[in-house]
Amino acid sequence: MNNMFDLHGKTALVTGSGRGLGFSYAKGLANAGARVILNGQNEDTLSAAVAQLKSEGFQVLGKRFDVSSEAQVSKVFEEFDRDGIHVDILINNAGIQYRKPMVELELEAWKKVIDVNLNSVFIVSRQAAKRMIEKGTGGKIINIGSLTSEAARATVSPYTAAKGGVKMLTKAMAAEWAQYNIQANAIGPGYILTDMNAALIENKDFDDWVKASNPTQRWGHPDELIGTAVYLSSSASNYINGQIIYVDGGWLSVL
Ligand code: GCO
C-alpha cells in the first residue's frame, strides 16, 4: 500500500508562514514531500524562512502579500497561473491577536482582526478553490481555528468571533466544495509556545492557568501540530470534511 501521507507532487500555500505555527506547518508539509509556498508581509522574516527551508533541501518559494487584500490575493493567484503553479493544498494560518476588553476596544481594531483572521480565509480560499474546481483534481483546504472556535476567553473578542467563524466557514466550504473532491477541514490548536503567545507565557498566573486547565498539564509545542496538518493535507483524509480537530492536550474534552 503506498504511503497515504506522502505529499510528493503537491504544492502547498501556507499563509502567515514566515514564523510560528505557519512555519511549522510549512516545514512539516515540505518534509512530507510537498513544494511549499511561504507567505508573510515582512520581507526579512519571509526571506529568512525561505532560505532556511531551502538549506534543508526542500522545494520552497516565498510570496509577500496581505491575505486580507482581495486585490493582492487575486494578483498573486494570477501570477501563479502565469507561472504554471497550481495550489493543491491551502493552509489558512495567517492571524493576529489584539487583547482588550470589548468596552475599550476600538472598532478599527475589531475590524482588523476580523479582516485578517476570518475575511482572509474567504478571500484566499475562493481563489484556490476556483482553480481546484477548474483543474478537476480535488484539493485540500485547512483552516486554523483555535480553542476560541469553541469557547471564549475574556479580552480576545474579535479573535474569538473570527475563530468561531473559521469553524463554521470550514463547514460552508465542505457544503459547497466536497462535490469537487475538495476536503475543507480545520485545526484548533490549544495554547502553544509561539511568539504570539509570548506575553502569556511570561505571565506566571496565565502560565499556571494553562497548565491547570488541560489534562496534559503543559503548553503545546508548534511541532506537535505538524502531524495533523500533514494528515489533513494528504489522501489519508479524503473522506474527512468540515471537521475541526483540536490539538489541545485534551483541554476541551475535560471539565
Ligand atoms: C489568547 C491566545 C489564544 C491562543 C489560541 C488558543 O490570547 O488567548 O492568543 O488565542 O493563542 O488561540 O487556542
Side-chain angles (χ1 to χ4, degrees):
M1 180 171 70
N2 65 343
N3 175 3
M4 60 175 71
F5 300 99
D6 181 69
L7 302 181
H8 282 91
K10 302 292 184 187
T11 294
L13 168 61
V14 184
T15 66
S17 50
R19 61 191 181 92
L21 294 187
F23 182 73
S24 292
Y25 297 136
K27 186 175 67 175
L29 268 57
N31 219 32
R35 168 174 61 167
V36 294
I37 304 169
L38 303 187
N39 156 259
Q41 293 205 75
N42 181 296
E43 188 59 53
D44 292 343
T45 303
L46 186 62
S47 304
V50 169
Q52 182 178 334
L53 292 190
K54 271 189 178 163
S55 71
E56 295 177 36
F58 297 125
Q59 296 178 71
V60 55
L61 55 115
K63 272 290 185 183
R64 191 159 71 93
F65 63 95
D66 174 356
V67 292
S68 65
S69 159
E70 179 154 49
Q72 291 188 35
V73 171
S74 45
K75 179 172 177 290
V76 163
F77 274 85
E78 284 160 16
E79 289 168 3
F80 288 159
D81 295 342
R82 179 199 64 203
D83 299 342
I85 296 172
H86 176 75
V87 174
D88 304 289
I89 302 161
L90 169 62
I91 298 188
N92 288 299
N93 166 76
I96 58 176
Q97 181 58 285
Y98 194 85
R99 303 180 181 100
K100 195 176 261 191
M102 268 188 270
V103 293
E104 300 164 22
L105 183 64
E106 307 83 356
L107 179 58
E108 281 319 301
W110 167 276
K111 287 180 176 177
K112 180 70 178 166
V113 174
I114 297 292
D115 248 355
V116 175
N117 292 18
L118 177 59
N119 295 346
S120 73
V121 176
F122 166 71
I123 290 168
V124 182
S125 299
R126 71 180 181 151
Q127 290 291 344
K130 261 191 281 189
R131 288 160 174 82
M132 291 170 180
I133 292 167
E134 281 162 13
K135 188 177 181 191
T137 52
K140 299 285 186 178
I141 297 175
I142 297 101
N143 301 319
I144 305 304
S146 156
L147 292 180
T148 59
S149 295
E150 210 66 47
R153 178 173 95 77
T155 74
V156 289
S157 59
Y159 188 96
T160 302
K163 292 299 187 181
V166 165
K167 181 176 87 167
M168 293 314 294
L169 178 56
T170 301
K171 297 178 190 291
M173 290 177 184
E176 293 192 18
W177 297 338
Q179 63 186 300
Y180 303 108
N181 189 28
I182 296 169
Q183 290 83 49
N185 292 289
I187 297 173
Y191 278 86
I192 311 296
L193 295 168
T194 61
D195 298 347
M196 186 173 82
N197 286 337
L200 306 177
I201 296 160
E202 287 148 22
N203 178 311
K204 172 116 179 45
D205 291 342
F206 199 97
D207 181 52
D208 290 346
W209 174 69
V210 168
K211 288 169 180 168
S213 302
N214 81 88
T216 308
Q217 299 177 355
R218 63 173 174 82
W219 293 74
H221 295 272
D223 289 355
E224 291 182 297
L225 290 155
I226 289 175
T228 305
V230 170
Y231 167 63
L232 291 176
S233 298
S234 74
S235 60
S237 59
N238 282 354
Y239 202 51
I240 302 270
N241 230 316
Q243 298 301 315
I244 181 165
I245 299 177
Y246 289 100
V247 185
D248 67 354
W251 189 308
L252 287 175
S253 303
V254 174
L255 288 178

